[in-house]
Structures are given as C-alpha cells and as structure tokens.
C-alpha cells in the first residue's frame, strides 16, 4: 500500500516585494481575494485533498500569519451574541487546532528549494505535498486533490503542469517531457527559468507538488541554481535523472498568478463574480467602466 499524503509544506517566507508598500507590515499571504486571504485558499485546497498536517516555512515579520490561524475567543463571543452564525462558520475555517499546524523559520532567503529543505525533519520518511499560495487555482475538484488521486496510481513525484505562452515561459520551471499520456506526462527532467532558446517545452510547473522524501536528500546536496538560489525544480529533476518516476499533471482548473499584480486583480474579479451577492453589481460596473474607457479611446 502506498503511504497517504497527509503533510503539506507551505513556503511563506518570501518578502512580497512586488506588493510594496502593502506588504511592508503584513505578509503577502494575508492579502485577500474578496474577503479571504490567499493562504486560506491554499489551506482549504490542502484539507480537501486529505492533508492533516500543515507545515509553514516562515521568516521574520510573518507573525500575522500565526495570529490568523489562532482561535479568536473575543471575536467569536461577539459574533455569537449577535447571532452571526454564518460569520462564525467562516471564522472556524481559519482556526487550526494546536498541533495541526507547525512553523519552521527559514533563516536566510536561499530560495524555494532551501525553504522546503528547512522542513525536512518534520517530513521524515513520507511523501508530502508542497503548495505555493501565490498560485491560486479555481477548480471544481481542487487541484491538489486531482494530483493526490493521480498519485495513488502512479507513485513517484508529481508536479502540476500547465501550458504557458512562449514569451512567458522563462518565468517558470519548464518540463522536459518523455511521454505525453494526455492529462498525465512522464518527465525526463525539468529546468528552472531557462533562457527562451534553452526551454525544453512551454509546459510550466505550477505551484503544487507531491514529492518523495528523496527530494529532501537531493536538496541537501544541491548547489545554487537559477537566480543564485537552491531550486526545488533541480532537486526534482535529479529524481528523474536517477531513473525514478516523475510526472506532470495537466490539471483541470483556472490558475491565477497572485504573485503578480495583474494576476491578483484578475483573481479578485473572477472570485467576486462567482459570488451571487456581488455578481450583478460588479458586472454592471465592469460593463460601464469598460464601455466608457473604450469610448474615450
Ligand atoms: C516557482 C518555481 C517555478 C514554478 C513557479 C510557479 O517560481 O520555482 O518552478 O514554475 O513557482 O508559480 P517563482 O514564481 O516563485 O519564482
């Protein structure tokens, strides 16, 4: 029997410089799409995929994240008194039981691979997931759940994969595909942010991973890669090079790059439009605004 994936690592140590000054005093993972912080989307997705242990790799200045997941007795009491049961339910989703969530500090910003490696002692000898909260994926079946289901048949390592336009490919980890089996891809290797001329494909790694503990060993041996950082992509590529199975899954769903302002705004609009209570007013506003902008051009 394959071991179940019950642990997930959330690398949240980044400084979020692209969103300054908003992120000067709050972690970027607390920035909200409509009324729910980015990190809440990641946690909800992980829970729905069967994750029960949540490992946060943080850094200085991320205290607001710890508070976010804590119980809020005063707030709960007030809502109870006012009979605001729906808000109480919402609040419950953000509260983690003691022991369900752990925080590890990444002491130096040495890259995504290094951040994942910082959690090695908490993973021990089990497969684990990694979720990058910047990548928000709207899907009928949550992306990580799709991956866990596929992984139950394949084993090995698995990354979420998506075609990206060639002019954007160099911003991603790109897959070198050995066998294209439709939604599932078998991988020869992968390259982190190559120059356009060296891109093995325009199939990009999106921030969802299921990894074997061997990847953590590889990370311990790696030298700095693209951008002078320890790259998770390189540690997974090492698995493929040593003959172990690595897969990509073309997931069903719409991915938003909430690490960029434009992606964040697109996600905000899309998520707001999917709320019945906001839909009509926002549609009217968008139609009007787009109409008058077009007319002025
Ligand atoms: C990270 C990974 C990259 C991946 C991307 C997906 O890069 O290193 O392989 O394609 O996330 O969002 P980042 O965007 O953090 O630079």
């Amino acid at each position: 029997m394959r071991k179940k994936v019950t642990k997930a690592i959330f690398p949240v140590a980044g400084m979020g410089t692209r969103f300054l000054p908003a992120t000067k005093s709050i972690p970027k993972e607390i920035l909200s799409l409509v009324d729910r912080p980015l990190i809440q989307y990641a946690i909800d997705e992980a829970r729905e995929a069967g994750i029960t242990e949540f490992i946060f790799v943080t850094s200085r200045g991320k205290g607001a994240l710890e508070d976010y997941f804590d119980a809020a007795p005063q707030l709960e009491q007030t809502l109870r008194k006012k009979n605001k049961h729906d808000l109480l339910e919402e609040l419950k989703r953000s509260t983690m039981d003691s022991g369900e969530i752990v925080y590890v500090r990444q002491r130096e910003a040495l890259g995504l691979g290094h951040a994942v490696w910082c959690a090695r002692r908490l993973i021990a000898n089990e497969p684990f997931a990694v979720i990058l909260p910047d990548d928000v994926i709207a899907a009928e079946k949550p992306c990580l759940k799709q991956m866990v289901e596929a992984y139950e048949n394949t084993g090995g390592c698995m990354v979420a994969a998506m075609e990206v336009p060639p002019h954007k490919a160099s911003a991603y980890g790109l897959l070198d595909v050995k066998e294209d089996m439709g939604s599932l891809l078998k991988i020869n290797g992968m390259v982190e942010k190559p120059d356009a001329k060296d891109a093995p494909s325009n199939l990009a790694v999106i921030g969802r991973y299921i990894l074997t503990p061997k990847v953590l060993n590889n990370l311990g041996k790696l030298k700095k890669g693209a951008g002078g950082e320890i790259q998770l992509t390189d540690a997974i590529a090492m698995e493929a090079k040593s003959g172990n199975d690595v897969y990509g899954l073309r997931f069903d769903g719409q991915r938003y790059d909430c690490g960029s302002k434009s992606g964040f705004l697109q996600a905000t609009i899309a998520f707001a439009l999917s709320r019945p209570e906001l839909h009509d007013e926002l549609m009217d506003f968008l139609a009007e605004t787009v109409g008058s902008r077009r007319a002025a051009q």
Side-chain angles (χ1 to χ4, degrees), residues 18 28 111-113 132 134-135 160 169 171-174 190-193 203-209 229-234 255-257 259:
R18 275 195 261 179
K28 77 168 166 187
L112 175 60
L132 309 188
D134 274 0
D135 281 328
Y172 293 90
L174 297 177
M190 46 211 266
V191 197
E192 183 68 14
K193 303 190 176 83
L203 267 167
V205 177
I206 297 304
R208 302 288 184 276
Y209 308 77
E229 298 188 333
I230 306 283
Q231 294 294 352
L232 185 57
T233 303
D234 294 345
R255 174 256 186 180
Y256 298 96
D257 174 11

Side-chain angles (χ1 to χ4, degrees), residues 8 17 54-55 76 79 87 93 168 182 187 201 240 245 248 252-253 259 261 283 286:
T17 45
F54 302 81
I55 303 167
E76 284 168 29
L79 294 175
L87 285 177
R93 286 154 69 104
K168 289 199 173 160
I187 304 302
S201 70
D245 286 345
D252 287 326
K261 283 177 201 163
M283 274 301 273
L286 289 172

Side-chain angles (χ1 to χ4, degrees), residues 40-103:
Q40 185 69 52
Y41 289 90
I43 293 284
D44 289 349
E45 182 178 334
R47 270 198 212 286
E48 287 184 71
I51 300 297
T52 52
E53 290 179 65
F54 302 81
I55 303 167
F56 276 55
V57 182
T58 68
S59 61
R60 190 173 291 273
K62 296 278 176 165
L65 269 175
E66 289 193 35
D67 291 343
Y68 177 77
F69 289 114
D70 203 353
Q74 252 185 344
L75 189 54
E76 284 168 29
Q77 207 184 9
T78 312
L79 294 175
R80 218 169 286 122
K81 260 195 211 148
K82 293 186 173 167
N83 282 325
K84 305 240 171 183
H85 299 293
D86 45 345
L87 285 177
L88 266 169
E89 273 312 301
E90 266 302 316
L91 213 58
K92 254 194 217 152
R93 286 154 69 104
S94 68
T95 310
M96 291 280 196
D97 278 343
S98 300
E100 198 182 16
I101 189 162
V102 282
Y103 302 91

Side-chain angles (χ1 to χ4, degrees), residues 5-6 8 66 76 84 94 96 99 106 119 121 161 195 211 214 230 291 295:
V5 185
T6 59
E66 289 193 35
E76 284 168 29
K84 305 240 171 183
S94 68
M96 291 280 196
Q106 185 186 23
R121 292 211 168 84
D195 289 342
L211 302 174
K214 282 196 211 133
I230 306 283

